[in-house]
Amino acid sequence: MILYMIRHGESEANVGRFHAGWAQISLTQKGVEQAKETAKKLRNISFDRVICSDLKRAIQTCELIFSERTYETNSLLREINVGVLSGKNVADCQHIYGMSYTENKRRQDFTPYGGENRAMLLDRIRCFINEAEEYTEKRVAVFAHEGPIRAMLDLVTGQAQRKECFVCKNCSIAIFRFQDELWQLVKWGV
């Protein structure tokens, strides 16, 4: 099976530099255009199944790319939960919460704010991987967020990858293969 993990287009949170987490945030006009460009990249690929995070920005991207396809939603593909920080500007959070916020954000630990930490996100994506290993389809499109896509990368490679080495831009595609009981990264940032 080949799994195409597609990050959603630019969202209002990306532009406004605020935490989105599990909030239902819309795409910007640029995000809509990015999705349309990605649709061109994928137009000649036949997908057997389409799965999408249940958050609005991923759904909008999916519907723009596959306007006439049915898809299923899966909450395991949600972005990391940031708790009460959802909708709050990053700079404001730094001012309000100080160095503890800066350190928690760096470690991806949002549990002090009622959210998840990196280990919880990894556990969620492990559950998704376990589900995906049971798919009988040959080619699957998955619409998600930066956090889950990076978590998939880290789990497949067996170690945390540096963000600057594996940039995950809006509407970029990461391609993974599951074959002979083994996951591998095929391409990153398509």
Side-chain angles (χ1 to χ4, degrees), residues 65-97:
I65 292 174
F66 293 117
S67 60
E68 297 182 18
R69 288 277 319 244
T70 58
Y71 61 89
E72 58 194 90
T73 58
N74 188 327
S75 62
L76 293 173
L77 296 167
R78 286 181 172 195
E79 183 57 279
I80 193 167
N81 182 358
V82 295
V84 298
L85 300 180
S86 185
K88 292 189 173 148
N89 183 278
V90 170
D92 292 344
C93 290
Q94 288 170 330
H95 177 73
I96 294 166
Y97 300 107

Short mmCIF file of all heavy atoms in Angstrom, two decimals, residues 65-97:
data_model
loop_
_atom_site.label_atom_id
_atom_site.label_comp_id
_atom_site.label_asym_id
_atom_site.label_seq_id
_atom_site.Cartn_x
_atom_site.Cartn_y
_atom_site.Cartn_z
N ILE A 65 -9.48 19.29 -3.48
CA ILE A 65 -8.66 18.40 -4.31
C ILE A 65 -9.49 17.28 -4.91
O ILE A 65 -9.32 16.92 -6.07
CB ILE A 65 -7.48 17.86 -3.48
CG1 ILE A 65 -6.51 19.02 -3.16
CG2 ILE A 65 -6.75 16.73 -4.22
CD1 ILE A 65 -5.38 18.66 -2.23
N PHE A 66 -10.39 16.73 -4.13
CA PHE A 66 -11.23 15.62 -4.59
C PHE A 66 -12.70 16.04 -4.51
O PHE A 66 -13.48 15.50 -3.72
CB PHE A 66 -11.00 14.37 -3.73
CG PHE A 66 -9.64 13.78 -3.87
CD1 PHE A 66 -8.77 13.74 -2.79
CD2 PHE A 66 -9.22 13.25 -5.08
CE1 PHE A 66 -7.51 13.18 -2.91
CE2 PHE A 66 -7.95 12.70 -5.21
CZ PHE A 66 -7.10 12.66 -4.13
N SER A 67 -13.07 16.99 -5.35
CA SER A 67 -14.41 17.59 -5.28
C SER A 67 -15.55 16.60 -5.54
O SER A 67 -16.65 16.80 -5.07
CB SER A 67 -14.52 18.77 -6.24
OG SER A 67 -14.28 18.33 -7.57
N GLU A 68 -15.27 15.55 -6.27
CA GLU A 68 -16.34 14.61 -6.61
C GLU A 68 -16.13 13.24 -5.98
O GLU A 68 -16.75 12.27 -6.41
CB GLU A 68 -16.47 14.52 -8.13
CG GLU A 68 -16.87 15.85 -8.74
CD GLU A 68 -17.05 15.81 -10.23
OE1 GLU A 68 -17.20 14.70 -10.78
OE2 GLU A 68 -17.04 16.88 -10.84
N ARG A 69 -15.29 13.15 -4.97
CA ARG A 69 -15.01 11.87 -4.31
C ARG A 69 -15.63 11.84 -2.94
O ARG A 69 -15.73 12.85 -2.26
CB ARG A 69 -13.49 11.69 -4.11
CG ARG A 69 -12.66 11.41 -5.30
CD ARG A 69 -12.60 9.98 -5.73
NE ARG A 69 -12.49 8.96 -4.71
CZ ARG A 69 -11.46 8.15 -4.56
NH1 ARG A 69 -10.42 8.26 -5.36
NH2 ARG A 69 -11.47 7.23 -3.64
N THR A 70 -16.01 10.67 -2.51
CA THR A 70 -16.41 10.52 -1.12
C THR A 70 -15.15 10.28 -0.30
O THR A 70 -14.15 9.79 -0.82
CB THR A 70 -17.39 9.34 -0.94
OG1 THR A 70 -16.76 8.15 -1.40
CG2 THR A 70 -18.68 9.56 -1.70
N TYR A 71 -15.21 10.65 0.95
CA TYR A 71 -14.08 10.47 1.84
C TYR A 71 -14.61 10.14 3.23
O TYR A 71 -15.78 10.36 3.52
CB TYR A 71 -13.18 11.72 1.88
CG TYR A 71 -13.88 12.96 2.37
CD1 TYR A 71 -13.91 13.27 3.73
CD2 TYR A 71 -14.54 13.81 1.48
CE1 TYR A 71 -14.56 14.41 4.18
CE2 TYR A 71 -15.19 14.94 1.93
CZ TYR A 71 -15.20 15.24 3.27
OH TYR A 71 -15.86 16.36 3.72
N GLU A 72 -13.76 9.60 4.04
CA GLU A 72 -14.12 9.32 5.42
C GLU A 72 -13.27 10.18 6.33
O GLU A 72 -12.13 10.53 5.98
CB GLU A 72 -13.92 7.84 5.74
CG GLU A 72 -12.49 7.37 5.52
CD GLU A 72 -12.35 5.86 5.52
OE1 GLU A 72 -12.46 5.27 4.43
OE2 GLU A 72 -12.12 5.30 6.61
N THR A 73 -13.80 10.55 7.48
CA THR A 73 -13.03 11.34 8.44
C THR A 73 -12.50 10.42 9.54
O THR A 73 -13.09 9.38 9.85
CB THR A 73 -13.85 12.48 9.06
OG1 THR A 73 -15.00 11.93 9.69
CG2 THR A 73 -14.25 13.49 8.00
N ASN A 74 -11.37 10.82 10.11
CA ASN A 74 -10.75 10.04 11.17
C ASN A 74 -10.13 11.03 12.16
O ASN A 74 -9.19 11.75 11.82
CB ASN A 74 -9.70 9.11 10.58
CG ASN A 74 -9.15 8.15 11.60
OD1 ASN A 74 -9.04 8.46 12.78
ND2 ASN A 74 -8.78 6.96 11.14
N SER A 75 -10.64 11.06 13.38
CA SER A 75 -10.16 12.02 14.39
C SER A 75 -8.73 11.72 14.86
O SER A 75 -8.09 12.59 15.45
CB SER A 75 -11.11 12.05 15.59
OG SER A 75 -11.16 10.79 16.22
N LEU A 76 -8.21 10.53 14.58
CA LEU A 76 -6.82 10.23 14.93
C LEU A 76 -5.86 11.15 14.18
O LEU A 76 -4.73 11.36 14.61
CB LEU A 76 -6.48 8.77 14.60
CG LEU A 76 -7.17 7.70 15.44
CD1 LEU A 76 -6.87 6.31 14.89
CD2 LEU A 76 -6.77 7.81 16.91
N LEU A 77 -6.31 11.70 13.05
CA LEU A 77 -5.46 12.54 12.19
C LEU A 77 -5.47 14.02 12.58
O LEU A 77 -4.87 14.84 11.90
CB LEU A 77 -5.90 12.39 10.73
CG LEU A 77 -5.73 10.99 10.16
CD1 LEU A 77 -6.48 10.85 8.85
CD2 LEU A 77 -4.26 10.66 9.99
N ARG A 78 -6.15 14.36 13.67
CA ARG A 78 -6.19 15.76 14.12
C ARG A 78 -4.80 16.27 14.50
O ARG A 78 -3.91 15.51 14.86
CB ARG A 78 -7.06 15.89 15.37
CG ARG A 78 -8.52 15.79 15.12
CD ARG A 78 -9.28 15.95 16.40
NE ARG A 78 -10.71 16.05 16.14
CZ ARG A 78 -11.59 16.46 17.03
NH1 ARG A 78 -11.19 16.81 18.24
NH2 ARG A 78 -12.86 16.53 16.70
N GLU A 79 -4.66 17.59 14.44
CA GLU A 79 -3.43 18.24 14.90
C GLU A 79 -3.32 18.03 16.41
O GLU A 79 -4.29 17.66 17.08
CB GLU A 79 -3.49 19.74 14.56
CG GLU A 79 -2.25 20.54 14.92
CD GLU A 79 -0.97 20.01 14.29
OE1 GLU A 79 -0.40 19.05 14.85
OE2 GLU A 79 -0.53 20.56 13.28
N ILE A 80 -2.15 18.30 16.97
CA ILE A 80 -1.97 18.18 18.41
C ILE A 80 -2.93 19.12 19.12
O ILE A 80 -3.15 20.26 18.68
CB ILE A 80 -0.50 18.45 18.82
CG1 ILE A 80 -0.23 18.00 20.26
CG2 ILE A 80 -0.11 19.90 18.57
CD1 ILE A 80 1.24 17.95 20.63
N ASN A 81 -3.53 18.65 20.19
CA ASN A 81 -4.49 19.43 20.97
C ASN A 81 -3.70 20.42 21.84
O ASN A 81 -2.84 20.00 22.62
CB ASN A 81 -5.34 18.50 21.83
CG ASN A 81 -6.39 19.22 22.63
OD1 ASN A 81 -6.50 20.43 22.61
ND2 ASN A 81 -7.18 18.45 23.36
N VAL A 82 -4.00 21.71 21.70
CA VAL A 82 -3.29 22.73 22.47
C VAL A 82 -4.12 23.27 23.63
O VAL A 82 -3.74 24.23 24.28
CB VAL A 82 -2.81 23.89 21.55
CG1 VAL A 82 -1.77 23.40 20.56
CG2 VAL A 82 -3.98 24.56 20.85
N GLY A 83 -5.27 22.64 23.88
CA GLY A 83 -6.11 23.02 25.01
C GLY A 83 -6.59 24.46 24.93
O GLY A 83 -7.03 24.91 23.88
N VAL A 84 -6.46 25.19 26.05
CA VAL A 84 -6.98 26.56 26.12
C VAL A 84 -6.19 27.55 25.26
O VAL A 84 -6.62 28.69 25.09
CB VAL A 84 -7.04 27.08 27.58
CG1 VAL A 84 -7.99 26.24 28.41
CG2 VAL A 84 -5.66 27.13 28.21
N LEU A 85 -5.06 27.11 24.71
CA LEU A 85 -4.28 27.99 23.84
C LEU A 85 -4.92 28.13 22.46
O LEU A 85 -4.55 29.01 21.69
CB LEU A 85 -2.85 27.48 23.69
CG LEU A 85 -2.02 27.37 24.96
CD1 LEU A 85 -0.63 26.85 24.63
CD2 LEU A 85 -1.95 28.70 25.69
N SER A 86 -5.86 27.26 22.14
CA SER A 86 -6.51 27.29 20.83
C SER A 86 -7.11 28.67 20.57
O SER A 86 -7.86 29.20 21.39
CB SER A 86 -7.61 26.22 20.78
OG SER A 86 -8.15 26.15 19.50
N GLY A 87 -6.72 29.24 19.42
CA GLY A 87 -7.22 30.56 19.04
C GLY A 87 -6.41 31.71 19.60
O GLY A 87 -6.69 32.87 19.29
N LYS A 88 -5.41 31.42 20.42
CA LYS A 88 -4.60 32.48 21.02
C LYS A 88 -3.33 32.71 20.21
O LYS A 88 -2.67 31.78 19.77
CB LYS A 88 -4.24 32.14 22.47
CG LYS A 88 -5.46 32.16 23.37
CD LYS A 88 -5.07 32.03 24.81
CE LYS A 88 -6.33 32.24 25.65
NZ LYS A 88 -6.34 31.50 26.87
N ASN A 89 -2.97 33.97 20.07
CA ASN A 89 -1.77 34.38 19.35
C ASN A 89 -0.53 33.91 20.09
O ASN A 89 -0.45 34.00 21.32
CB ASN A 89 -1.78 35.91 19.21
CG ASN A 89 -0.61 36.41 18.42
OD1 ASN A 89 0.47 36.56 18.95
ND2 ASN A 89 -0.84 36.68 17.15
N VAL A 90 0.44 33.40 19.35
CA VAL A 90 1.68 32.88 19.92
C VAL A 90 2.40 33.95 20.73
O VAL A 90 2.85 33.71 21.85
CB VAL A 90 2.59 32.29 18.81
CG1 VAL A 90 3.97 31.96 19.34
CG2 VAL A 90 1.93 31.06 18.18
N ALA A 91 2.53 35.16 20.19
CA ALA A 91 3.22 36.24 20.90
C ALA A 91 2.49 36.59 22.20
O ALA A 91 3.14 36.83 23.23
CB ALA A 91 3.34 37.47 20.01
N ASP A 92 1.17 36.60 22.18
CA ASP A 92 0.40 36.87 23.40
C ASP A 92 0.64 35.79 24.44
O ASP A 92 0.77 36.08 25.64
CB ASP A 92 -1.09 36.98 23.09
CG ASP A 92 -1.45 38.21 22.28
OD1 ASP A 92 -0.62 39.14 22.19
OD2 ASP A 92 -2.56 38.24 21.71
N CYS A 93 0.71 34.54 24.00
CA CYS A 93 0.96 33.42 24.92
C CYS A 93 2.34 33.56 25.56
O CYS A 93 2.50 33.29 26.75
CB CYS A 93 0.84 32.08 24.19
SG CYS A 93 -0.85 31.66 23.72
N GLN A 94 3.33 33.99 24.77
CA GLN A 94 4.67 34.18 25.32
C GLN A 94 4.66 35.26 26.39
O GLN A 94 5.30 35.13 27.43
CB GLN A 94 5.65 34.53 24.20
CG GLN A 94 5.96 33.35 23.31
CD GLN A 94 6.74 33.72 22.05
OE1 GLN A 94 6.63 34.82 21.53
NE2 GLN A 94 7.53 32.77 21.57
N HIS A 95 3.88 36.31 26.15
CA HIS A 95 3.78 37.41 27.11
C HIS A 95 3.04 36.97 28.38
O HIS A 95 3.48 37.25 29.49
CB HIS A 95 3.08 38.61 26.47
CG HIS A 95 2.88 39.75 27.39
ND1 HIS A 95 3.92 40.57 27.81
CD2 HIS A 95 1.76 40.21 28.01
CE1 HIS A 95 3.44 41.48 28.64
NE2 HIS A 95 2.14 41.28 28.77
N ILE A 96 1.94 36.25 28.21
CA ILE A 96 1.11 35.83 29.35
C ILE A 96 1.77 34.74 30.19
O ILE A 96 1.82 34.82 31.41
CB ILE A 96 -0.28 35.34 28.85
CG1 ILE A 96 -1.06 36.50 28.24
CG2 ILE A 96 -1.08 34.69 29.98
CD1 ILE A 96 -2.27 36.07 27.43
N TYR A 97 2.30 33.70 29.53
CA TYR A 97 2.79 32.52 30.24
C TYR A 97 4.31 32.50 30.42
O TYR A 97 4.83 31.66 31.16
CB TYR A 97 2.35 31.24 29.52
CG TYR A 97 0.85 31.10 29.44
CD1 TYR A 97 0.18 31.29 28.23
CD2 TYR A 97 0.10 30.77 30.56
CE1 TYR A 97 -1.19 31.15 28.15
CE2 TYR A 97 -1.27 30.63 30.49
CZ TYR A 97 -1.92 30.82 29.28
OH TYR A 97 -3.28 30.69 29.20
#
